[in-house]
Amino acid sequence: MNYFTSFIGAIFSAWSDPVTDPMSSHDAQQLIASSKLNVLYHRQEQMELDSSESRVISRANYTSSEWTYMVMRVVGKAYFEITALDTDDVTVITSKIPAYGTEKMPGIAIISSYNITAISVVSQQDNTLVELYAAISCADDDTRLN
Amino acid sequence: MTVHLRRQIAIRTAKGILDGLPDATVFPYRLTDVLPKFVLNLSNGSYSANTIEMNATDSYVVPLPVNYDSANRISCFFRTTSPIKVVIVDPELGTSTHLIKATNGTTKGDHYGILMWQGRVTSITVSVPAAFADAEIDYFLFNIPDLTLDASWQIGNQALGVVS
């Protein structure tokens, strides 16, 4: 299964002067690109979390070495809490990837990573609305695509 | 400076997917429901953007927006053609080490790796692990205002303008 994506996240461009079509500028065009995302498994969830509440994200039966692709849309304040292995497959690394926004301008966090051993979503504000898209992706030569 | 900003987080489903996976449309629809374009009239002209090419084992400290104060939040966006490591120092959440996955080439296909977030930042360092190929990295960082004030976004006491 494939998704054709424009997982570009926010596409930004900046000018000193107003322009008719900002998306046609060089800066913006550099960031715009559609690419094919091979998806082996995906799931969407919506949750509302109070401050300090967390939710563990499982990835079915896939191993930690798989390519994990996640998009989180946040109205409120929340972060991905991630435990993973470094490139030596031994050293433990951790990260917190926050997103922050309102209904008018929701926060967006996107991760494309691997070697993840655990992921949670942690809220930092009451009534934070989180929409989550989680996928296991793969390269074009992955035999499981056949 | 004016920043024209379009949040377009679209997941364009491939032909046929709607029949097989009806649920797949729900979340993508909500993602594309994000307002298509904002104009923020930034009074402090504070952003940082570049495209850099890095070889294996190279390391690069990403310049933060001019006049940026880590008491405020910035929106950060990175895109890479090969796997890279990102170390983020956040005064609120601590130090994070994160690997971005990407592939390129005819065998594995060209699939960008992306990391995007909004938070407070003290420093950002990107590096290419030894085992990986050269990477081309695009980044864009800019101040985001206090979003709790919808009519007049501001950073601290500094008004940034209005959403239009």
Side-chain angles (χ1 to χ4, degrees), chain B residues 83-102:
Chain B
I84 60 171
K85 181 186 292 186
V86 183
V87 177
I88 306 158
V89 179
D90 180 320
E92 180 183 8
L93 298 175
T95 299
S96 292
T97 303
H98 184 80
L99 296 174
I100 303 180
K101 170 79 170 179

Side-chain angles (χ1 to χ4, degrees), chain A residues 12-33:
Chain A
F12 309 100
S13 48
W15 295 267
S16 297
D17 302 309
V19 295
T20 304
D21 179 9
M23 301 315 292
S24 65
S25 79
H26 178 69
D27 283 348
Q29 291 299 318
Q30 276 201 308
L31 295 178
I32 297 171

